[in-house]
């Protein structure tokens, strides 16, 4: 099953095509220009590189946040339009959960952190239990100092940060 997925939740835009568990192609762009200018060319590039057409994709996916409101709107609208044009299914993926899923079967608590600006972060806390990622703290936007206070009470942590430096 071929999946085309995009993430426009931060300043970095990404687009990838998977075939079951195999990555076929990926484009990542860390550019200050808006996603509205770069996203469709990225999708076209990854499809061409994989020698695929939009109708060859079985499922279209997009990051649904948290993250940049404008970036998310651009990503979701684009992916929904593409999927609608070829009558395919659309799925949404949590940006924080996607970050946490990069650390499969860790024994540590997983704390993905994304910059929400003004000394705030988007964050959640996850833990692998019986080969399933469980939510320990629901996704939220909180003051960085509040997150530090919460984490001081926890042990065995693994941080995943997506911050613009």
């Amino acid at each position: 099953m071929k999946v085309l997925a995009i993430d426009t939740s931060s300043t970095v835009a990404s687009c990838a095509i998977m075939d079951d568990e195999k990555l076929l192609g990926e484009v990542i762009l860390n550019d200050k220009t808006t996603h509205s200018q770069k996203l469709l060319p990225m999708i076209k590039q990854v499809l061409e590189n994989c020698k695929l057409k939009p109708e060859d994709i079985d499922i279209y996916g997009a990051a649904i946040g948290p993250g940049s409101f404008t970036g998310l709107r651009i990503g979701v609208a684009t992916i929904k339009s593409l999927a609608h044009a070829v009558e395919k299914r659309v799925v949404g993926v949590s940006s924080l959960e996607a970050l946490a899923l990069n650390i499969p079967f860790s024994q540590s608590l997983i704390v993905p952190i994304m910059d929400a600006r003004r000394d705030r972060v988007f964050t959640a806390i996850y833990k692998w239990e019986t080969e399933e990622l469980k939510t320990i703290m629901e996704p939220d936007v909180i003051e960085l100092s509040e997150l530090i206070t919460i984490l001081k009470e926890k042990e065995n942590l693994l941080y995943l940060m997506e911050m613009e430096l």
Side-chain angles (χ1 to χ4, degrees), residues 65-98:
S68 159
F69 181 69
T70 301
L72 291 168
R73 284 186 338 172
I74 291 166
V76 169
T78 300
I79 214 71
K80 284 183 76 174
S81 298
L82 288 170
H84 180 73
V86 292
E87 299 178 350
K88 299 295 175 111
R89 197 172 85 173
V90 175
V91 296
V93 178
S94 160
S95 304
L96 293 170
E97 191 172 339

Side-chain angles (χ1 to χ4, degrees), residues 115-134:
D115 188 3
R117 302 184 197 251
R118 298 186 184 119
D119 294 324
R120 297 179 304 156
V121 293
F122 299 114
T123 191
I125 300 176
Y126 300 98
K127 181 170 180 54
W128 284 103
E129 293 179 6
T130 321
E131 299 185 8
E132 185 178 340
L133 189 65
K134 298 285 188 174

Side-chain angles (χ1 to χ4, degrees), residues 102-154:
N102 281 293
I103 311 297
F105 313 110
S106 170
Q107 297 301 309
S108 302
L109 292 176
I110 302 169
V111 185
I113 302 169
M114 295 174 62
D115 188 3
R117 302 184 197 251
R118 298 186 184 119
D119 294 324
R120 297 179 304 156
V121 293
F122 299 114
T123 191
I125 300 176
Y126 300 98
K127 181 170 180 54
W128 284 103
E129 293 179 6
T130 321
E131 299 185 8
E132 185 178 340
L133 189 65
K134 298 285 188 174
T135 303
I136 305 301
M137 184 180 95
E138 291 293 327
D140 201 358
V141 58
I142 61 175
E143 298 288 328
L144 184 55
S145 59
E146 183 181 345
L147 176 62
I148 291 168
T149 300
I150 292 168
L151 297 180
K152 282 181 180 179
E153 300 170 3
K154 308 273 185 206

Side-chain angles (χ1 to χ4, degrees), residues 4-8 13-17 26-29 31 33-49 52-54 60-62 71 73-86:
L4 184 144
I6 62 167
D7 184 356
T8 56
S14 62
C15 174
I17 297 176
E26 179 180 36
V27 177
I28 299 172
L29 188 59
D31 191 348
T33 59
T34 64
H35 296 320
S36 62
Q37 297 171 336
K38 300 291 183 171
L39 185 56
L40 281 173
M42 289 172 60
I43 293 169
K44 180 180 179 191
Q45 179 184 354
V46 76
L47 284 167
E48 287 176 353
N49 288 349
L52 295 171
K53 297 178 184 143
Y60 286 80
R73 284 186 338 172
I74 291 166
V76 169
T78 300
I79 214 71
K80 284 183 76 174
S81 298
L82 288 170
H84 180 73
V86 292

